[in-house]
Each structure stands twice: as structure tokens, then as C-alpha cells.
């Protein structure tokens, strides 16, 4: 029941019992596919994956509780009991805030680790003065994850683009097969009527027997063509059914009573002046998701290059902690007892002498950036040429469809004239059949060009990389 309601709302010819002819437009099919197709759902999952990657990278800046306890008891001697617990808060600027409680007791506690009986409170910072001051692993990972999120959004658009393009190919192939079947169905019915009429004329003595043979051959020929068209219709229907799903989980099928609805008059393609064409090309280059992916990849490598450059600096880390003796009063009052006379600080410095590893990593990343820039430029040219090619093809096919539409009218006039000549005895069955076959051939060719035009028009839109924004 739930599925039936969905079909009624969407006006889509899916599995029902009533065998009433139901039209399926391109817009209705596209709306259903983009809502329920597994690829559309996968595109959403890709975007969600990018969002979770950012969340994961932000985890490096999460406050962290820590604790350490170590005790040794041997032969009734309390060697030591060491306790250190607290909270670390990393910040975006590389500074790490730290506070905690330390309590060390026992006979053999190292004198420098000795604390008051009630323990020792401390609070301070750890600060990198050279390597890690401007960029560190945490900041680089977060920036790269944020760019990866944008890349997944672009990948989502590309996945939907490819899906829309494939749907267009399959839908208009289905429409072309449907139109051809209708043409051959009408031609077959006409040949059947003519055959019966000629048989009747033969029985009455008005027609020679050879005319019945010719009429029968015409009917057989059109029957073969109709069977082939019927097979093509069946195959294209099954191919289109591959795109029909419910929630990406339940496959649907087209009914035989479902047929495509396409306007006979082709929608005129967008006409552009040289200025508007140039402007639109610039817009595509700036906003095309595939080019944006390359750009964000270059920016990712830029953060990696900055991180590698930081590795060339010496490690100089400063730590400073205020100290306060625990006095047994509430913790908040102990925190207020910190003063500048009680402290602990330290400075660590290290640096490799030749820096070969750091310089090698930096040069490798630099080469990766150049390689990505070259790939982006190549893709830029490829996308631009593909878009221009699709634009030129669309314009040409539109003109071709108009020419074939006019030709159909002319072929129909010739056939009508030949039928009138046949009625007054100035023509014969062979000429009428030749006129009909010319008209049928023109109808089939028109449907082919008309289908190619619609596919080309949608491919031109898809070449912009944002089909879902320009299509209904």
C-alpha cells in the first residue's frame, strides 16, 4: 500500500494491476531517480563521509584527561606511590594548556619528584617556539579534512552528473524505440488493410494474382520490421528499469502500458553570443566540480608543503607551570593560591644537522604540487573542449531535427499525391509502397536525430558539471 501511494503521488508507471496507458516524462523520471536511485544515495554517503572526516580531524583538538599511578611495595616497605592526573587542552595556535594534580610518596621517591603530603597542584602551558609554531600535524590534518569535505561535495555532483547523463541516454533510446514501434505498427496495419483490399479485388476479378503476392510481401516485410522494433522497445524498457528504485533498496519495473511522453517540437537550445559564450565558459571553469577537486587537492598539498617546511626548523619547546600546595580546602580555593614564586619550567631543543629527510620530504611535496597543477591544466582543456563540442553538436542536431521535420511533411504530401494517382489509375502499388517506405525511413531517421538532440542537450548541460542545478 505504501508503494502504491508513492506511485500515485509521483505519477510514475510502475508495478500496478490496472493496464491503463501511463505517460512518463523526462522530468518525472529524473525526479524519481535522483530521489531513490542507489547512486544518488551513494552520493549522499560520500558527502557524509567528508563531514565525518572533518569531525575526526577536529578530534585532535579535543581536551584530554590523563592519569598515571605507579606503586611499589616490597617486604613491608613502601618504596613509592606516584600519582599524576589532570587535563590537557590543545589550542589552534599550537599552545597546549595543562593542569593537574601530582602526589608522590614513599621511602625511595626521587628527591626531585617529592611533593607535599597533600600533593601538588600545577597549571601551565607548553609552547613550540620554532617547529610547530605556524603549522603542525593537527592543524594540517584539519585543514586537509575540510578540503576533503569540499572534494566529497564535488564528487557527489560528479556522481549525479554521470547518473543524469546515463538516464538521458537510456530514456531517449526508450522513446526512440517507442516511436519506431508506433511507426511500424501503423505501417503494418496499413499494409494489412491494403492486402485485404487487393485480395478482395482479385476475388472480384479486378486485380491480377501477382498484386496479392506483392501486397503480402509488403505486409511480411513490415511485420519483420515491427517485430524488430518491438524487441528494441522491450530491451530499452528493461534498460530503463535499471534506474527505477524505491529508497535505493527495492528495484522497480516498467509496465508494458507505460510510454514516454516527449513533445514533437524540440526545445530550442540556448543561443550564445561570443561574449556570453566566453563568460559562461569562465563560469564553468571556475565552478566545475572536477576542476574544483584539483584545486582543493593543490591546496591540500599546499598545507602539506607548509608542514614539511616546518619540519626544517629546529624543535624548541617551552613549558611553564605554576605550582600550588594543596591545603585541604576546596579545589577552587587552591587554584587561587598559585603565585609567581612557585613554578617549574623547561626548554627542549633538537635539530638534525643535515636535514636530509626534511629537505627530501619538502621537495617531494613541491613536485606533487606541480604535478597536480599540470593535471588541472590538462583537465581544464579537456572539459572546455568537451563543453564546446557538446554545444556545437546540440546546435547542429537542432537544425537537423528541423530539416527532418520539414522533410516528413514533404514525404507525406508525396504519399498523399501518389494515393490519389492510384485511385484514378495513374499509379501502381509499387510506387505507393515506395512512397510509404520513404516516409517510414524519414520518420525513423527523424526520431533518431530527435533523440540524439535531446541527449546532446543534456550532455551539454552535464559538461558544465552541475546538471542538477540546471535541470528541473
Amino acid at each position: 500500500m505504501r508503494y502504491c501511494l508513492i506511485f500515485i503521488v509521483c505519477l510514475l508507471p510502475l508495478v500496478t494491476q490496472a493496464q491503463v496507458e501511463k505517460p512518463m516524462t523526462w522530468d518525472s523520471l529524473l525526479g524519481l531517480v535522483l530521489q531513490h536511485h542507489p547512486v544518488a544515495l551513494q552520493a549522499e554517503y560520500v558527502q557524509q563521509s567528508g563531514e565525518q572526516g572533518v569531525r575526526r580531524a577536529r578530534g585532535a583538538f579535543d581536551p584530554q584527561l590523563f592519569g598515571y599511578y605507579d606503586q611499589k611495595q616490597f617486604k613491608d616497605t613502601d618504596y613509592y606511590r606516584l600519582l599524576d592526573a589532570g587535563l590537557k587542552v590543545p589550542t589552534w595556535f599550537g599552545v597546549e594548556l595543562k593542569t593537574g594534580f601530582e602526589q608522590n610518596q614513599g621511602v625511595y621517591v626521587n628527591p626531585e619528584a617529592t611533593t607535599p603530603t597533600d600533593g601538588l597542584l600545577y597549571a601551565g602551558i607548553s609552547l613550540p617556539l620554532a617547529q610547530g609554531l605556524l603549522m603542525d600535524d593537527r592543524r594540517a590534518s584539519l585543514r586537509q579534512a575540510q578540503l576533503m569535505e569540499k572534494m566529497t561535495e564535488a564528487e557527489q555532483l560528479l556522481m549525479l552528473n554521470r547518473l543524469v547523463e546515463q538516464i538521458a541516454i537510456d530514456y531517449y533510446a526508450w522513446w526512440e524505440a517507442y516511436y519506431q514501434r508506433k511507426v511500424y505498427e501503423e505501417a503494418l496495419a496499413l499494409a494489412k488493410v491494403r492486402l485485404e483490399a487487393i485480395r478482395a479485388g482479385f476475388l472480384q476479378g479486378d486485380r491480377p494474382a501477382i498484386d496479392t503476392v506483392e501486397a503480402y510481401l509488403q505486409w511480411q516485410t513490415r511485420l519483420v520490421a515491427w517485430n524488430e522494433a518491438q524487441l528494441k522497445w522491450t530491451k530499452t524498457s528493461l534498460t530503463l528499469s535499471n534506474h527505477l528504485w524505491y529508497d535505493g533498496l527495492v528495484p522497480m519495473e516498467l509496465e508494458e502500458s507505460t510510454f514516454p511522453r516527449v513533445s514533437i517540437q524540440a526545445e530550442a537550445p540556448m543561443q550564445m553570443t561570443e561574449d556570453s559564450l566566453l563568460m559562461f565558459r569562465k563560469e564553468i571553469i571556475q565552478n566545475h566540480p572536477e576542476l574544483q577537486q584539483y584545486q582543493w587537492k593543490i591546496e591540500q598539498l599546499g598545507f602539506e608543503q607548509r608542514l614539511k617546511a616546518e619540519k626544517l626548523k629546529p624543535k624548541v619547546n617551552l613549558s611553564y607551570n605554576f605550582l600550588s600546595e594543596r591545603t585541604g580546602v576546596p579545589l577552587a580555593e587552591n587554584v587561587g593560591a598559585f603565585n609567581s614564586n612557585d613554578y617549574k619550567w623547561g626548554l627542549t631543543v633538537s635539530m638534525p644537522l643535515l636535514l636530509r629527510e626534511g629537505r627530501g620530504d619538502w621537495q617531494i611535496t613541491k613536485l606533487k604540487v606541480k604535478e597536480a597543477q599540470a593535471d588541472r591544466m590538462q583537465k581544464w582543456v579537456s572539459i572546455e573542449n568537451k563543453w564546446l563540442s557538446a554545444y556545437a553538436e546540440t546546435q547542429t542536431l537542432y537544425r537537423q531535427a528541423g530539416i527532418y521535420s520539414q522533410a516528413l511533411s514533404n514525404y507525406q504530401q508525396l504519399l498523399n499525391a501518389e494515393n490519389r494517382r492510384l485511385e484514378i489509375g495513374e499509379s501502381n502499388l509499387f510506387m505507393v509502397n515506395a512512397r510509404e517506405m520513404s516516409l517510414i525511413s524519414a520518420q525513423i531517421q527523424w526520431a533518431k536525430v530527435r533523440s540524439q538532440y535531446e541527449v546532446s542537450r543534456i550532455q551539454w548541460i552535464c559538461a558544465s558539471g552541475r546538471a542538477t542545478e540546471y535541470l528541473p
Side-chain angles (χ1 to χ4, degrees), residues 31 34 68 101 112 124 136 142 153 169 186 191 198 203-204 212 247 265 278 323 374 377 403 406 432 437:
L34 293 181
Y68 168 80
F101 173 74
E112 69 179 16
D136 56 23
L142 179 56
E153 292 175 359
I169 293 172
E186 294 175 1
I198 291 176
L203 294 176
Q204 294 174 2
T212 62
D247 277 352
Q265 186 64 34
L278 180 61
L323 304 177
M377 183 59 65
I403 293 173
Q406 295 176 357
V432 172
M437 293 305 297

Side-chain angles (χ1 to χ4, degrees), residues 30-213:
L30 184 63
L32 179 69
V33 171
L34 293 181
Q35 184 177 4
H36 296 292
H37 198 282
V39 173
L41 298 181
Q42 290 171 5
E44 292 184 9
Y45 300 152
V46 168
Q47 182 179 0
Q48 292 174 11
S49 176
E51 294 173 357
Q52 297 306 315
V54 174
R55 173 182 288 184
R56 178 183 178 184
R58 291 187 187 279
F61 294 91
D62 288 346
Q64 180 181 3
L65 292 171
F66 66 91
Y68 168 80
Y69 183 77
D70 193 15
Q71 179 180 8
K72 182 177 180 181
Q73 186 82 19
F74 185 68
K75 292 184 178 182
D76 297 328
T77 302
D78 186 9
Y79 274 61
Y80 54 81
R81 282 177 291 140
L82 308 178
L83 172 64
D84 188 9
L87 174 68
K88 294 180 181 179
V89 182
T91 66
W92 175 256
F93 302 101
V95 177
E96 184 176 78
L97 306 179
K98 183 178 180 182
T99 184
F101 173 74
E102 186 178 2
Q103 187 178 47
N104 303 324
Q105 297 177 352
V107 177
Y108 298 109
V109 174
N110 192 324
E112 69 179 16
T114 301
T115 62
T117 303
D118 290 332
L120 192 66
L121 293 171
Y122 61 89
I125 63 171
S126 176
L127 173 66
L129 299 179
Q131 184 180 133
L133 179 62
L134 301 178
M135 180 62 65
D136 56 23
D137 291 328
R138 287 181 296 200
R139 280 178 279 180
S141 296
L142 179 56
R143 288 300 193 192
Q144 289 177 329
Q146 290 171 335
L147 291 171
M148 180 59 69
E149 182 182 14
K150 294 182 179 180
M151 291 175 69
T152 56
E153 292 175 359
E155 182 61 29
Q156 180 188 31
L157 288 175
L158 291 175
M159 292 175 68
L160 294 177
N161 251 40
R162 291 189 289 266
L163 179 60
V164 169
E165 187 172 350
Q166 187 59 51
I167 296 170
I169 293 172
D170 294 339
Y171 177 82
Y172 285 103
W174 180 55
W175 171 80
E176 182 183 346
Y178 171 78
Y179 184 85
Q180 289 182 4
R181 189 186 69 160
K182 295 290 288 184
V183 169
Y184 284 120
E185 185 177 329
E186 294 175 1
L188 181 62
L190 182 61
K192 182 67 173 179
V193 171
R194 181 177 295 130
L195 175 61
E196 296 298 332
I198 291 176
R199 279 178 176 175
F202 166 71
L203 294 176
Q204 294 174 2
D206 297 332
R207 290 277 186 176
I210 194 64
D211 283 357
T212 62
V213 175

Side-chain angles (χ1 to χ4, degrees), residues 168-169 171-181 183-184 232 262 264 266 393-394 396-402 404-405 408 439-457 459:
I169 293 172
Y171 177 82
Y172 285 103
W174 180 55
W175 171 80
E176 182 183 346
Y178 171 78
Y179 184 85
Q180 289 182 4
R181 189 186 69 160
V183 169
Y184 284 120
K232 183 178 179 180
V262 176
I264 299 300
E393 183 179 12
T394 300
T396 300
L397 287 173
Y398 177 73
R399 292 192 294 269
Q400 292 288 86
Y404 273 105
S405 181
L408 284 179
L439 176 60
I440 291 172
S441 177
Q443 288 174 325
I444 298 302
Q445 189 62 31
W446 173 84
K448 180 179 179 180
V449 173
R450 183 74 172 80
S451 173
Q452 288 176 342
Y453 166 71
E454 292 295 341
V455 172
S456 177
R457 184 177 66 86
Q459 286 179 331

